[in-house]
Structure formats: structure tokens, C-alpha cells
Amino acid sequence: MSWLLRRNMLPLHSNSLARRPLASPPPLLPAPLPSPRETHLWYVVPDQLKDASLLNQYMDLLSPCERQSVLRMNGERLQKGALLARALVRTTLARYCRVSPKSFKFRKNRFGKPEVEWNKYDLWAPPPLQFNISHTSTMIACGVALDLPIGVDIEEKQRKTRNNILSLARRYFSPVEVAYLRTLADLESQRHEFIRLWTLKEAYVKALGRGFSGAPFKDFTIRLEASNSKQVTGESKSDASRIVVEAVDHPGILMNRWHFALFELNNSHYAAVCMERDVKDPADRENNSLKLEVWRTLPFVEDECVTETAAVKNIIR
């Protein structure tokens, strides 16, 4: 794919990135803005995309710096993943705005989390969209919310680790989480539960806007609570009522600013969404549920809402 991408591009010098634009892409399916306590998740499966002309069309959406960043990646698979991640963000945001996917500009906060740098328009105010991106080698997902910080993480269900699960947990997780994993005698259940917790913790620190380096996993505990306030263990999550966060230094004091969703996606990945509550909305303070709408997409080609299908299996929300 590297040759296919480079074939239609001029050499990567600072003043030679302009190239003959491709034909205008077809319009994107517009999407209604998320409602309060709602997250929209759009995902793409890289292996389903093999059309070189479509990849070049996605490349045409990127800024010169983004193109350089993609082509610096080592290997065709990494280049393709980086390209699709950037194209997915741009096309997803464009569904909610009256602007071209090419027109978006981005900046990073001090922890490196990307944010939209909105242009000023005389006759139109852009919606206050928040987004977050997550990707593995086999799936890329972009979550969108309105006005409130959001974090998204996806992990492969069959993800393997070189180290013993409990050894990894002791290195990265809180003592409460390690003790919980130790109660699971079945090693396969232990592995799945480790991945689920990792996914939730990653989504949480991304919603904070800090990432792993800015909010170490050991500093907080993720607990899956049942209605009787006991932690849910193993696979028996059907009675769980909420996902909660507490600081390691202050056990028992919950950080209730956040909504969570944890679900299986495409029967191949665990996915977690974390979104800040609206403190100005009394209903939001009392409501633990997070509404979720999910689309599988191949931008400019195909969009399918999979929310009520077997592709989205709710674990707890």
C-alpha cells in the first residue's frame, strides 16, 4: 500500500505537498447530534478496505502534516491504520457539521489528546462536539459526544500478553483490582477481566484528557457494582448496575462525574466509553445510564447502524 499511496503524491518536501486533488467524494450520510447522556461510536475494520483509490481519497482529506506523519509510519499496515484513523475522525465530525472533512484543524492539549480547533464563522456556530479515537491493528473507533469530555478505548478480546496476568496487574492496577483478579481461579476468565478493566481505565484517563502518563492506572480503582453494592465478579455482570471510580488514596469516595459503557463490538473487541456527566442537569446527576448508538462505516461507501444487532453486546451500561 505504501507504493500506492506514494504513487499519486509529489515528493515529501515542505513546499511540494500540494497535489492534484482527486474527484470530489460523494456526500457523507449526515447524523443527528448526540442527545444528552448519549455517545455515538463509529468504527471501521481496516481489513475490509482494499481499494487503493479509496485510500488515496482518504489521503486527500488530510493536512500536509498528517500526510507526512502517515508516510513516516514503518510498514504498510501501520500506514494504513494511521491513515484510516485520521480519515475516520474527519469524516465522522463532518457528519455533524456543515463543513468539508478536509477543513478541520486540530490541536493537542498538554497531554497530547487531539481536539478540534474550530474556525470562526459569521453566520454559523459549529456544534460543541467532543471526540476521541481508539485503534487496534484490526479495528478503529471514533466516539462523539456533545459538549462534554469523552474517552473511548477498544481492545482485542483475544489480546495475548507475554507476562502473567497477575504480574501485569500488580504493575499497573490498584491493589483492589489486583485482589479482584486474584479471586478468579479460571485463567481465561482472569485474562478477559483484565482486558475489560484495562479498557475501562483507558477510556477514563482519555476522558480526563490526560492519557496514561498524566493519570497512572495505579492511582484509581474501577469497580463494577451490583445493586447490593458488591463488586461483580467473573462473567456474571447481568445484575451490575453501574461502573464506578474511586481514588486509591480515598477508598470508598466515588468520583461520580462520569458515565460508563462497556460492551463487546463485532464479537472481536471489548469497547469502553467514558463521558462526563452534565453537572448542570439534575436528571443527569441521578441517571446512571448512558445511551449508545453504534455505526459500522466505510466512509463514502457504506454506513450501517448496528446498535440493535449482534455486533453490539452490552456488558454493563
Side-chain angles (χ1 to χ4, degrees), residues 151 172-181 193-208 215-226 230-233 237 240 242-248 250-256 258-262 272-275 315-316:
Y172 293 109
F173 285 6
S174 73
V176 171
E177 292 162 338
V178 174
Y180 164 52
L181 291 173
E193 202 65 9
F194 175 88
I195 298 172
R196 289 170 178 160
L197 280 169
W198 185 283
T199 307
L200 285 165
K201 291 171 82 75
E202 189 80 49
Y204 172 67
V205 299
K206 291 171 76 175
L208 288 174
F217 280 9
K218 274 194 167 187
D219 289 355
F220 64 93
T221 295
I222 293 281
R223 290 196 289 108
L224 311 182
E225 279 197 344
K230 293 182 180 179
Q231 187 166 340
V232 178
T233 58
K237 301 232 173 14
R242 61 175 180 166
I243 300 169
V244 298
V245 187
E246 63 184 18
V248 168
H250 303 284
I253 299 179
L254 304 182
M255 293 178 273
N256 288 324
W258 307 97
H259 288 295
F260 284 93
L262 177 65
V273 174
C274 178
M275 189 176 80
I315 298 175
I316 179 171

Side-chain angles (χ1 to χ4, degrees), residues 289-309:
S289 64
L290 177 64
K291 186 178 179 183
L292 184 69
E293 295 287 342
V294 182
W295 284 268
R296 181 183 60 81
T297 183
L298 200 58
F300 304 133
V301 177
E302 181 183 17
D303 302 301
E304 179 187 6
C305 182
V306 297
T307 306
E308 301 296 334
T309 72

Side-chain angles (χ1 to χ4, degrees), residues 1 5 69-86 135-137 140:
M1 190 198 74
L5 291 178
S69 178
V70 166
L71 293 176
R72 279 198 298 266
M73 303 297 290
N74 185 21
E76 295 180 6
R77 191 173 185 85
L78 290 177
Q79 286 185 2
K80 183 178 180 181
L83 169 59
L84 290 179
R86 288 165 172 80
H135 53 85
T136 69
S137 62
I140 303 166

Side-chain angles (χ1 to χ4, degrees), residues 31-34 92-99 104 116 118-119 121 124-131 144-148:
L33 291 172
T92 297
L93 293 175
R95 298 176 190 274
Y96 302 90
C97 306
R98 291 181 286 178
V99 296
F104 289 104
V116 181
W118 294 104
N119 291 323
Y121 301 90
W124 175 69
L129 290 172
Q130 300 272 345
F131 78 94
V144 176
L146 195 63
D147 204 30
L148 295 169

Side-chain angles (χ1 to χ4, degrees), residues 139-200:
M139 182 179 289
I140 303 166
C142 179
V144 176
L146 195 63
D147 204 30
L148 295 169
I150 179 177
V152 171
D153 191 54
I154 56 172
E155 301 290 344
E156 294 176 354
K157 288 175 60 179
Q158 299 307 317
R159 169 182 167 184
K160 302 298 182 182
T161 60
R162 294 180 181 178
N163 302 89
N164 174 274
I165 289 295
L166 288 179
S167 296
L168 278 175
R170 283 190 290 269
R171 181 177 178 184
Y172 293 109
F173 285 6
S174 73
V176 171
E177 292 162 338
V178 174
Y180 164 52
L181 291 173
R182 196 179 287 118
T183 66
L184 305 177
D186 180 71
L187 293 181
E188 188 65 5
S189 295
Q190 193 179 82
R191 185 182 68 82
H192 279 284
E193 202 65 9
F194 175 88
I195 298 172
R196 289 170 178 160
L197 280 169
W198 185 283
T199 307
L200 285 165

Side-chain angles (χ1 to χ4, degrees), residues 91-125:
T91 55
T92 297
L93 293 175
R95 298 176 190 274
Y96 302 90
C97 306
R98 291 181 286 178
V99 296
S100 163
K102 296 179 65 171
S103 67
F104 289 104
K105 295 181 180 180
F106 299 94
R107 61 172 179 253
K108 292 183 178 180
N109 71 9
R110 63 192 183 96
F111 296 104
K113 183 180 181 181
E115 301 171 344
V116 181
E117 188 174 309
W118 294 104
N119 291 323
K120 293 183 178 179
Y121 301 90
D122 294 332
L123 301 177
W124 175 69

